[in-house]
Amino acid sequence: MLAIKETTKRHLLIIVLIFIALSSLRILWLAYFFPSNDQPSAQEGIFDMRDQFLSDNKVFYLNGEWLYYPGLLVDTTNDSHSKTTIPLDQATLTIPPRDSEAVTQKFGTYRLKILLDKNDSSDNRFAIRVPAISTASALYVNGRLLGKSGEVATNLNSHKGQAAPYTVYFTEKESEIELLLQVSNFDTPADAVINKRISFTSVSAMTHYQTITELSLTTISVIIIMYALFSILVFLFIYRKKKVLLFTIGFLLPLADELITYDRSILDWLHLDYVWSLKLSNIVYLGASFFFVQFMRMLLVKYHQAMRFRWFSILYALGTLLIILLPIHWLHAANLLFFILYIVSFLYVVVLALREYVEDQKTSAFIAFTALGTTNGIIWGLIKSTYVLDIPFYPFDYLFIVLGFTGYWFKRFYENTQQINKLIVDLQNNNELKDEFLTSNAQKLWNPMNKMITLGQSIYDNPHNNLISEDKQNLKYVIDIGRSMSFTLNDILDFTRLNEGNLYLHKKSVSIQGAVSGVFDMLRFIAEGKQIQMTSTISRSFPHVIADEKRLIQILFNLLHNAIKYTGAGFIEISACIEKDMAVIHISDSGLGMDDDIQNRLFSPYEQGNVADEGIGIGLFVCKQLIDMHGGTLQIQSIPNTGSDVIFTLPLADESTVVDEALLIKEEEDSMSSGHAKQLEKSCALPHFKILMVDDDPVNLRIMRSLFVSSEYDITTVTSSEKALEALQQQNWDLIIIDAMLPYISGYALIEMIREHYTVLELPILLLTARHYPEDVYTGFAHGANDYVTKPINSLELKVRARALIDLKYSISQHLHLETAWLQAQIQPHFLFNTLNTIASLSTIDTDRMIDLMHHFGEYLRASFDVRNLQRVVPLQYELELVRSYLYINQQRFEGLLKIEWDIDEHINIEIPPISLQTLVENAIRHGVLKQEGGGTVCICIKDFPDYVAISVIDNGVGIDPSTLAQLQSGSNLTSTGVGLRNTDLRLKRIYGQRLIINSKPNEGTDITFHIPKNKLKSKAY
């Protein structure tokens, strides 16, 4: 409690000291300009200055007794030249008037004679300052009209009030100066009275006096206007609150009041009469009071919500309404009420401000100082008006008020800065916590998201599921949504790494064409269902760029994914050019486009181009940061409903690097040729595993080749998908290692082309990816890869995964051999017994036929058990020899019941799966024509078409019943019949991706056809 009292005493002492300092400064100002005690006084219309000296800084006030002519306007020194014929009535009035003196006339003339010293050495140049007289006046000096305010007249119609002060300058060599001051007042209830001092001095002294006044007023005006402009700028650009505009008005209205008080003639430009100019000045005065009280209230910390302020607002509004509505003769009486309102409201604010300061509100100290400065100005203003002091404009009260406000704003700025710094620290801590939260939860979401995608995909791919088409499509949407979530999780992780500065680049020479092709294939599933054509016009000769391959793929993926998202139908095109040693890549689309507002905030984190976007708005931000890290730039040009053009730049690779890579590619090609030559030399040696490596980076090829022992592996390397396709035609391979990002024909597309001819079990493919993100891995598996390895390559991982796939391939090969043997076991025994029985019966009937049958039977057995039947495919002629032997034997057995027709085009040179045609022929005989009592005909038709060879077995037998046909066409294993057909159908599907085409009608016959495609990728045996 004692501490509080000590603080209160200290604050009160400071308030008293400040008030004393302000009053002392005001007294010094008054002392400097206050008239000296030796000033003369006018006696009966004569102002005797013969013993006075006019200096450059001394002003004389023409106080005292003036001659007054009531009801007359005298304009010469000769009384007979009056403007009226009424005899001159003369009286003596004191200026300023005493309380006992009264004037009842509405017009009249004041007269004064000034006597000067004849020996005065001044330059005879004088100045007279006439104050604002109610309400019109005109000054004659020695019979000359030198100045006026308004129009002096003897009637209301000719009179025009103004009540503005004016200064006249003149030269007079005579020792006597006669002044005639005409006045008239028909505007107010008051009479034509001069209640202010009239000053007389030399021109230099008057100039000095007015210069100080005008300089002080100008300085304060400039300061206040600057504050008002500052408030407007704060409102427009920083703090859009109405109270900021209140400060602007609160600064400007007091300034307007001071200017009107100094010289009412500034209102002339409004062309208002005296009544409305007076009302306007009163409104400005009242408004200045109101707004000053209001913005002082706004600055109070504890009491700005006090109820009395609302009453003050109502009273000020009522006062303004009264000023507008009341006639002028009532307005003078109401001015006292307005003054009381102002004094009461302002003193109330001052008391609250001082109270807050005393209560140790630090910010309120400056408001208290401002209130003290204003209070001092009001008190001395009352003293000045009471004693009719004509002192130059005093600027220091306003300066102190401005300093008070300045201190207040700087204090608030300092406090806000401290608070902002604290908030920044808190935000930084929260941001770190947020990043940790995002990273932790993104990683936690990986497992359930992957499980969801995997489970959904397994259900979707299961051929035995009972989902209807609509449910299956909805399941596809669920899987795609899960993949989209993976994109968002990737962006979150990278966004966090970028903020933490933990993301580093591993730059090297990268083919932009390969990255574009790979990303196109990765995004095919997103574009499904949209009529979008994605094309690349980047030329084959376009140079490499220096980039982190993993991040380049991410940049292209995000930008293209964004283009697909906002393009319902149309095109997406990637092009590239070279500008200033930089690769400039354009991604153009015909999508929705964006307006300028969206483009301006598009690269900010958590900003979205569309409010309905399900993403979190960091994809483009991450792209821009990654491009900046590469030394490039990213910009977007877009037109709403027309499309967008995303432009980013990357540095080009050095020419020396490109040349070195070209030499390495040539060396790899040479090594491939020499490798082929060495195959013949090694053919007699131990078997080697044959691996084909496809990568456009020769350095990667050299590294991978060095990992495999030459005594165990035959490695062939190529640098493009086209060369890989050529290599596939030339020999068989145990494993293919393919980089995902290959130019023009991406690794994904190459895998898809290989899978048209080789299943995942027949030819394993190991995919090399720059990233292990789900979109990369899923795309690889979806196109047919067996496994993947991420770059940079781990040597142990690559060797282990490669050997595992090779071992798997050979295990499957052995399984297929056993499957073929099983097929032979299924189709051979019954046929062997029947044939032997036929041979035995012919031995007693026709020995020639028996010998011929035994010859064909031997050929059939040789062909059936030939080791070539374990191969993947055999020449068509070899299969036809087996079929002919088989048909000859059956014709001998079923003489008269079996007819054979051949329809084979010439010069057909293809390879087909072994025991495939023979199986179809056997099925046609056993289950077709021989089921009929009279037998039938079997036709073997082989036709050559431009793209394929069609092989058909047609019979006119009993046909296949609908239920069995449905099972065969669906590939179902529910029936125990049709083992040979199912086996053949399965092998055709594995090798060519096509199945048997079965058409059959009961009692009409069956037509079974399969196609052998003719393309560059020829089928090869194991």
Side-chain angles (χ1 to χ4, degrees), residues 362-363 409-421:
K362 296 180 180 180
T363 307
W409 289 120
F410 273 103
K411 181 66 176 178
R412 287 294 300 272
F413 176 77
Y414 174 77
E415 292 176 350
N416 289 339
T417 302
Q418 293 294 105
Q419 185 177 6
I420 289 172
N421 291 334

Side-chain angles (χ1 to χ4, degrees), residues 848-862:
D848 292 335
R849 287 177 59 193
M850 178 196 71
I851 294 171
D852 195 20
L853 178 58
M854 289 183 65
H855 173 72
H856 282 86
F857 182 56
E859 290 293 329
Y860 173 76
L861 291 177
R862 181 186 60 79

Side-chain angles (χ1 to χ4, degrees), residues 149-161:
S149 173
E151 295 292 339
V152 181
T154 59
N155 56 75
L156 176 62
N157 295 330
S158 301
H159 168 84
K160 181 180 179 181

Side-chain angles (χ1 to χ4, degrees), residues 806-846:
I806 292 173
D807 290 343
L808 175 63
K809 186 255 189 185
Y810 273 92
S811 297
I812 297 300
S813 175
Q814 294 299 320
H815 173 75
L816 292 177
H817 290 172
L818 294 174
E819 185 181 75
T820 303
W822 177 81
L823 175 61
Q824 291 175 332
Q826 293 292 318
I827 65 176
Q828 298 298 329
H830 68 279
F831 179 71
L832 293 175
F833 292 127
N834 291 332
T835 303
L836 289 174
N837 289 333
T838 302
I839 293 173
S841 62
L842 286 175
S843 65
T844 60
I845 300 172
D846 189 344

Side-chain angles (χ1 to χ4, degrees), residues 217-229:
L217 188 59
T218 301
T219 301
I220 296 302
S221 299
V222 170
I223 293 174
I224 292 177
I225 290 173
M226 292 293 290
Y227 262 80
L229 291 176

